[in-house]
Amino acid sequence: MEDYRRIADGLASDIAAGRLRPGDRLPAQRQFARRQGIAVSTAARVYRELGRRGLTTGEVGRGTFVRASGRPGTALAEPAGGGVDLELNHPVVPEQSALLAAGLAPLLRPGVLESATRPVGVAGTPAARNAAAALLARGGWRPEADRVLFAGGGRQAIAAAVAALVPTGGRLGVEELTYPVVRSVAARLGVEVVPLETDRAGLVPDAVAAAHRAAPLRAVYVQPAVHNPLGLVMPGRRREELADVLGRLGVDVVEDAVWGFLRDDLPPLAALLPERTVLVDSLSKRLAPGLSVGYAVAPRALVPAVADALRSGGWGPARFALEAATRWSAGGAVEPVVRAKQRDAAARQEIAARRLRGFAVHGGPLSYSCWWELPPPWRADTFTAAAARHGIAVVPAAAFAADAGRAPRAVRLALASPPPDVLDRALETLAALARSAPQDVPAE
């Protein structure tokens, strides 16, 4: 085994045993090299290996720190065990069960159930395509039904879109803070992720152009409406500028519209750049977290490539979920649930604004996410670990940073899952924690 991996294994053992605790800062690489009697280049490889394993995170100008969790990706994939979950957003409103039950009831009849449990292709059925076109319509835009393809969920739709647009070894531009699943998808497909500058209006068009000049981008992944984790909404003028730049450069787009239902008054980027945009969406956030369908609306010329990617990846839909989605859309269950979730998101943002007043907190008025720039001397991983000791799970910025070495001192708060009264008390606790000094927090 190479020396750097052996040394990394030793540090990993120290982290697992608690000898190095979440938030602990590692020595500077030159200092570490001197202590170990190794070359600085070997020390750099050790630190890169620890970062690759998800054991450490880097903060610009501050150093390398032990993560609050040795496996940060799981925090965004599965519910936390106990405590108050501010890691994952699974919005559920009281009225949705009755509305969704009415659409499911006909599927349970023997004759219908037999059909609803048969296999189905990624093109779905004519009824499913028409229902999906109506479901995905917003801001005056409605996709043609024959350009809609189906996946098992939003993640599968994203994976298929990236696979169809970016070859192995190709470059995918992403916002510098982005949905973590995209990084995982890119790694599995052998695609290079290129972080792109983002400001309060969203992805910066000049940054896209500069990255493309450096080495061609095959596609860009972007979240124009209700960005995760920032909660921002890209203004219309910025969308137009971005569409113009991408069109001139000939760069394709994967537009993630999963949270776009919270701002369904705004047209998607696909309305401005239809010949280059694959729009992906999902049923889970909009309706039911546990019964999902993913959607990919592709330009007509790209429909075969996206369909092939869905089939080859095994990312196609489940027939029962597709039939349920079709009936919910046709039966009028979707709009009242969406309106209820829009009201719920606004109410939760009001709770956050009240409890976190005075802090640098960002989140759109119709968003289930808050981005909290922590006050010094708190670091993201230290704060995450301290919050966990209070029974509250939050996500450090490093989980969303496309460049793990440039993670800001911030955390993402997911507001959707706890009941409002529990959310209120949890945010009150976090605010008090942030006003204290890290050394004032009792150790486990």
Side-chain angles (χ1 to χ4, degrees):
M1 179 180 294
E2 297 178 75
D3 285 346
Y4 81 91
R5 289 184 180 168
R6 176 178 53 77
I7 297 169
D9 287 344
L11 290 173
S13 297
D14 288 342
I15 293 170
R19 291 185 290 271
L20 285 173
R21 296 171 55 82
D24 283 354
R25 181 176 179 174
L26 299 185
Q29 290 182 15
R30 287 186 180 276
Q31 183 182 7
F32 181 79
R34 285 196 299 270
R35 290 181 183 176
Q36 296 287 327
I38 58 177
V40 174
S41 60
T42 303
R45 297 184 77 181
V46 171
Y47 278 38
R48 284 197 298 271
E49 177 66 13
L50 292 172
R52 187 191 67 78
R53 298 184 193 184
L55 298 174
T56 60
T57 181
E59 294 184 15
V60 179
R62 295 180 61 84
T64 302
F65 300 88
V66 178
R67 282 188 184 273
S69 167
R71 296 167 61 206
T74 60
L76 303 181
E78 297 178 358
V84 180
D85 181 12
L86 301 186
E87 284 187 307
L88 300 180
N89 268 322
H90 291 314
V92 175
V93 291
E95 51 266 62
Q96 78 180 53
S97 292
L99 288 165
L100 300 183
L104 284 176
L107 290 176
L108 303 181
R109 297 170 186 157
V112 179
L113 185 61
E114 181 182 357
S115 174
T117 51
R118 291 175 180 169
V120 68
V122 299
T125 64
R129 290 193 295 274
N130 288 325
L135 179 79
L136 301 176
R138 59 183 173 92
W141 172 84
R142 176 173 173 145
E144 293 90 349
D146 62 351
R147 295 196 295 116
V148 178
L149 299 167
F150 299 95
R155 297 180 184 196
Q156 291 90 332
I158 291 170
V162 173
L165 298 180
V166 187
T168 300
R171 286 162 43 95
L172 173 69
V174 303
E175 295 137 321
E176 56 191 343
L177 293 167
T178 191
Y179 179 40
V181 166
V182 174
R183 298 182 323 197
S184 299
V185 165
R188 285 168 172 76
L189 294 174
V191 167
E192 179 186 355
V193 167
V194 180
L196 301 173
E197 181 186 356
T198 306
D199 61 20
R200 293 307 301 168
L203 185 59
V204 176
D206 286 347
V208 177
H212 188 68
R213 285 195 300 271
L217 298 172
R218 296 301 296 263
V220 167
Y221 167 89
V222 63
Q223 304 172 79
V226 194
H227 182 279
N228 176 25
L230 300 176
L232 62 82
V233 173
M234 188 180 290
R237 179 61 182 272
R238 174 61 63 85
R239 293 173 190 233
E240 293 171 1
E241 293 170 350
L242 183 59
D244 179 64
V245 167
L246 291 167
R248 285 192 288 105
L249 296 176
V251 175
D252 292 324
V253 183
V254 179
E255 178 178 8
D256 187 339
V258 166
W259 289 106
F261 72 92
L262 291 171
R263 288 299 308 268
D264 58 0
D265 57 318
L266 301 175
L269 189 64
L272 299 174
L273 196 63
E275 71 280 5
R276 289 208 167 271
T277 304
V278 179
L279 180 141
V280 297
D281 207 329
S282 170
L283 194 69
S284 61
K285 306 301 185 185
R286 183 186 270 104
L287 289 184
L291 189 63
S292 186
V293 174
Y295 306 93
V297 180
R300 202 171 302 282
L302 293 176
V303 167
V306 177
D308 285 347
L310 285 166
R311 284 190 288 264
S312 63
W315 297 321
R319 179 67 173 264
F320 188 87
L322 188 60
E323 291 289 346
T326 301
R327 290 173 183 270
W328 285 332
S329 183
V334 176
E335 184 170 354
V337 173
V338 166
R339 299 291 170 248
K341 289 187 177 181
Q342 290 172 343
R343 293 190 296 271
D344 182 56
R348 290 168 184 268
Q349 285 289 343
E350 290 175 2
I351 294 172
R354 183 176 70 254
R355 286 301 185 190
L356 302 179
R357 186 174 291 117
F359 293 105
V361 177
H362 310 285
L366 289 180
S367 169
Y368 278 112
S369 293
C370 278
W371 187 252
W372 188 357
E373 297 174 6
L374 296 169
W378 283 105
R379 300 190 303 270
D381 274 39
T382 309
F383 188 82
T384 301
R389 290 195 286 270
H390 285 74
I392 304 169
V394 303
V395 185
F400 302 97
D403 180 353
R406 300 186 61 84
R409 194 177 58 215
V411 295
R412 199 277 309 263
L413 307 178
L415 307 179
S417 298
D421 60 328
V422 175
L423 174 65
D424 184 85
R425 291 194 299 271
L427 294 179
E428 182 181 22
T429 298
L430 293 180
L433 180 62
R435 292 187 181 101
S436 68
Q439 59 267 28
D440 296 337
V441 180
E444 290 177 300

